[in-house]
Amino acid sequence: MFLTAQDTFYVGVNDHEIDLFEGIYKVPNGVAYNSYVIVDDKIAIMDAVDEEFGDIWIENIKKVLGGRKPDYIVVQHMEPDHSANTLRFVKEFPGAKIVGNNKTFVMLGEYFGTDFADCREVVTDGSVLSLGKHELHFVFAPMVHWPEVMVTYDAFTKTVFSADGFGKFGALDVEEPWEEEARRYYYGIVGKYGKQVEAALKKLSALEIENIYPLHGPALEDDIGHYLGLYSKWASYSPECEGVMIAYSSVYGHTAKAVQLLKNELKAQGCKNVLVHDLIRDDRSVCVADAFTYPVLVLATTTYNADIFPAMREFIDCLTERNYQKRTLAFIENGTWAPVAAKLMQAKFEKSVNITFAQTAVKIRSALSAESETAVKNLAKELTGKNHD
Ligand code: FEO
């Protein structure tokens, strides 16, 4: 436990046992489930932690409070990594009230089989809960990342408790740069909901913010404008840098050779920033986050079972279900017989908005030929013509 903003104590936990966050995302440096205590005339606990850390969390709360008892637990988000100990909390601290909105209490009922009738404090968007000096303003942020999500602004410390927003993979006792794992977290967890994130950011823009305390990752207490700026960029699906990302899968190495040729040609044409991902071997969530980082994406793969090679098909699904948009796309396909991958890849983006498809088609029949090499070189010229860096 440690003091963060005035009267505000960290009581969360680090999870180094977890291998897959949400059953999907590799978290080699674990993850933190953040929870805070605000001590005033009344005492509020901001969120709980994952089920298996209940003992440590309750112990942390008791150490901060000495003999005092909490008055409230604010449930900003019902995903179980933050709410699984809610029932345990009210049993441990009878008399404390659960602060949530109507949707929160529906979900609490589903998870715990009770409506918590004797301890519910229902708030609405814009409600204020006074603890004394600290006044908690509730700002609904639906779909960042579930429908019941609300964030809380403590007007006394100018702190936003931001729920999943501004979260990051990685436990707090591991030092690593914020951006990379926060970006992977963002696009993995809330990337689909850019509009809703923008709406939440708009609401927050009316507030004077000195601290942002997310449910995962470190408390953000300096250079808040930097984090708000990045989130604004991510929410609007804007690229973060110039350059080209090439994502590929290759069965016998011939598609990989075409990718290497394209990389070399792009560099020769003056593109300084070329990132290549092997979709079979590289972490999927890293590939997805990087695809949103670059303005141009080249997809290179083979036809397989009269369809797109599975790793590529799944990668494209990850992009389109996250509303991939505002990008230039190019395709390289390879097939010994009946190649259809390029056509099928393009079709998968038919509902995506603001996508520019490159004019140059690269079709490889089995291995690079003089003709397909020329096509690769032409593609490099086309892409650098559009995208000088
Ligand atoms: Fe960490 Fe959407 O929960």
Side-chain angles (χ1 to χ4, degrees):
M1 299 106 42
F2 50 89
L3 180 68
T4 51
Q6 189 176 336
D7 310 320
T8 309
F9 297 83
Y10 183 82
V11 290
V13 297
N14 288 317
D15 184 353
H16 283 290
E17 302 303 312
I18 188 171
D19 57 345
L20 293 175
F21 184 81
E22 288 192 351
I24 301 178
Y25 303 100
K26 289 179 188 157
V27 281
N29 289 332
V31 70
Y33 311 116
N34 296 336
S35 170
Y36 293 85
V37 179
I38 304 172
V39 180
D40 201 340
D41 298 339
K42 302 266 188 182
I43 293 169
I45 313 296
M46 302 301 296
D47 300 292
V49 299
D50 195 62
E51 183 164 27
E52 62 189 288
F53 295 91
D55 288 346
I56 304 172
W57 175 62
I58 295 283
E59 198 56 32
N60 287 349
I61 292 170
K62 286 180 175 172
K63 278 185 195 154
V64 167
L65 295 186
R68 288 187 69 184
K69 302 284 182 216
D71 298 280
Y72 303 105
I73 179 164
V74 178
V75 181
Q76 300 191 108
H77 179 22
M78 271 303 300
E79 202 163 5
D81 50 336
H82 311 293
S83 71
N85 277 291
T86 309
L87 183 59
R88 163 103 192 256
F89 176 86
V90 292
K91 284 185 176 163
E92 191 78 35
F93 300 109
K97 290 195 160 173
I98 301 173
V99 180
N101 55 57
N102 282 325
K103 288 180 179 159
T104 317
F105 283 100
V106 170
M107 292 182 185
L108 281 168
E110 288 171 0
Y111 276 107
F112 298 109
T114 166
D115 60 2
F116 295 98
D118 55 346
C119 60
R120 52 196 284 159
E121 179 89 18
V122 180
V123 296
T124 55
D125 194 13
S127 285
V128 180
L129 177 69
S130 177
L131 304 177
K133 296 192 297 286
H134 298 261
E135 289 199 333
L136 303 183
H137 297 245
F138 300 107
V139 180
F140 285 15
M143 301 319 298
V144 187
H145 130 245
W146 279 16
E148 85 299 352
V149 169
M150 57 187 195
V151 303
T152 306
Y153 179 65
D154 180 345
F156 182 68
T157 56
K158 300 185 171 60
T159 298
V160 174
F161 294 88
S162 59
D164 273 344
F166 301 91
K168 171 189 164 294
F169 295 129
L172 300 189
D173 53 2
V174 177
E175 282 209 19
E176 60 183 1
W178 186 84
E179 279 77 5
E180 206 167 300
E181 285 296 76
R183 185 185 296 109
R184 188 167 72 92
Y185 178 90
Y186 175 83
Y187 284 115
I189 308 292
V190 282
K192 178 178 180 61
Y193 304 109
K195 274 194 183 142
Q196 290 84 346
V197 175
E198 282 191 316
L201 289 171
K202 194 172 172 198
K203 286 183 178 178
L204 294 181
S205 68
L207 305 171
E208 192 182 342
I209 301 172
E210 290 186 1
N211 310 301
I212 299 176
Y213 293 173
L215 286 172
H216 302 287
L220 306 175
E221 298 176 316
D222 298 303
D223 201 8
I224 294 302
H226 169 69
Y227 301 106
L228 289 169
L230 268 182
Y231 249 65
S232 174
K233 191 167 273 188
W234 296 346
S236 64
Y237 301 96
S238 303
E240 275 181 74
C241 64
E242 292 299 315
V244 177
M245 175 173 144
I246 310 170
Y248 78 97
S249 64
S250 187
V251 179
Y252 293 108
H254 297 100
T255 310
K257 277 185 188 155
V259 165
Q260 191 57 45
L261 176 64
L262 177 63
K263 179 180 177 180
N264 294 342
E265 287 296 316
L266 286 166
K267 295 233 168 198
Q269 296 293 332
C271 181
K272 296 188 195 95
N273 203 7
V274 183
L275 178 69
V276 176
H277 273 305
D278 176 346
L279 294 177
I280 298 168
R281 292 172 181 81
D282 295 352
D283 182 272
R284 173 79 46 81
S285 61
V286 173
C287 298
V288 168
D290 287 338
F292 280 97
T293 305
Y294 284 74
V296 179
L297 177 63
V298 181
L299 301 175
T301 196
T302 50
T303 297
Y304 195 85
N305 286 334
D307 204 328
I308 306 163
F309 191 84
M312 178 63 78
R313 195 176 61 227
E314 291 158 14
F315 175 63
I316 294 172
D317 285 341
C318 286
L319 297 181
T320 54
E321 69 195 23
R322 287 168 175 76
N323 289 322
Y324 185 80
Q325 57 184 270
K326 298 183 181 170
R327 301 294 192 280
T328 296
L329 268 179
F331 304 107
I332 297 174
E333 69 173 336
N334 190 356
T336 300
W337 45 278
V340 290
K343 187 177 80 178
L344 296 179
M345 283 193 284
Q346 180 156 344
K348 285 179 84 67
F349 290 94
E350 67 184 3
K351 290 187 184 152
S352 305
V353 297
N354 293 326
I355 298 285
T356 303
F357 295 105
Q359 299 296 309
T360 310
V362 180
K363 186 189 293 276
I364 301 162
R365 299 299 298 229
S366 304
L368 276 172
S369 63
E371 191 182 347
S372 53
E373 277 192 22
T374 301
V376 170
K377 289 173 185 172
N378 286 340
L379 178 59
K381 282 183 195 152
E382 181 183 348
L383 295 180
T384 48
K386 284 183 180 168
N387 180 45
H388 285 293
D389 66 355

